[in-house]
């Protein structure tokens, strides 16, 4: 658990350092006292070997929804098409589940109706014998 926390904190701090690139020109990677990788925007203690990683602070204008190669539409149109398709699949799934629920209810009702033995039908007792 402690190791997971350290890894998460290291990842979060790295992400924070990368996104705060306007203030930092370099990130320094070195091994801490426990031998685990550490990242900082400040120089490590003297005598510690480190790697200097440049940070690109330019705004690249990343498009989170690139155009789809299979449809040839813009990112927004492609996103809208996928959202509509997902809604159709969800509606089909809900309809199938409703049908299955009706089948289950009908089967339970039929089972309950057949719980009493008919005249001339044998039923099993708990001790292993049967009776009419």
């Amino acid at each position: 658990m402690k190791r997971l926390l350290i890894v998460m904190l290291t990842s979060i701090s790295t992400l924070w350092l990368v996104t705060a690139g306007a203030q930092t020109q370099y990130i320094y990677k070195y091994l801490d006292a426990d031998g685990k990788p550490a990242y900082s925007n400040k120089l490590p203690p003297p005598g510690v070997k480190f790697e200097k990683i440049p940070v690109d602070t330019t705004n690249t204008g990343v498009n989170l929804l690139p155009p789809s190669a299979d449809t040839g539409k813009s990112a927004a149109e492609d996103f809208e098409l996928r959202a509509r398709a997902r809604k159709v699949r969800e509606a089909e799934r809900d309809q199938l589940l409703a049908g299955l629920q009706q089948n289950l209810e009908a089967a339970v009702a039929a089972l309950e109706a057949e719980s009493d033995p008919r005249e001339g039908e044998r039923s099993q007792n708990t001790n292993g014998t049967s009776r009419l």
Side-chain angles (χ1 to χ4, degrees):
M1 183 71 171
K2 187 176 181 181
R3 182 174 290 190
L4 177 64
L5 182 62
I6 291 171
V7 169
M8 287 177 51
L9 288 175
T10 303
S11 300
I12 291 170
S13 64
T14 302
L15 181 63
W16 179 79
L17 288 172
V18 170
T19 56
Q23 301 170 354
T24 306
Q25 296 298 320
Y26 295 98
I27 294 176
Y28 301 97
K29 177 183 176 183
Y30 59 95
L31 296 178
D32 64 5
D34 296 332
K36 295 185 172 85
Y39 297 88
S40 176
N41 61 342
K42 298 178 182 168
L43 281 171
V48 175
K49 292 183 181 180
F50 63 90
E51 178 183 348
K52 192 174 182 181
I53 304 170
V55 178
D56 184 13
T57 59
T58 60
N59 184 3
T60 59
V62 175
N63 185 0
L64 297 178
L65 295 172
S68 177
D70 56 342
T71 61
K73 303 208 181 267
S74 71
E77 292 171 330
D78 189 50
F79 180 78
E80 187 64 33
L81 285 173
R82 291 175 191 264
R84 278 192 231 140
R86 185 178 63 246
K87 286 180 183 179
V88 167
R89 286 192 308 270
E90 288 174 357
E92 289 172 351
R93 183 199 63 213
D94 291 343
Q95 188 177 17
L96 176 64
L97 287 175
L100 292 172
Q101 182 68 29
Q102 288 175 351
N103 291 347
L104 176 64
E105 290 169 0
V108 168
L111 184 63
E112 289 174 356
E114 295 291 326
S115 63
D116 295 330
R118 296 185 186 138
E119 189 174 327
E121 186 177 50
R122 290 194 162 281
S123 64
Q124 188 76 25
N125 291 334
T126 56
N127 61 4
T129 62
S130 63
R131 63 182 173 89
L132 281 175

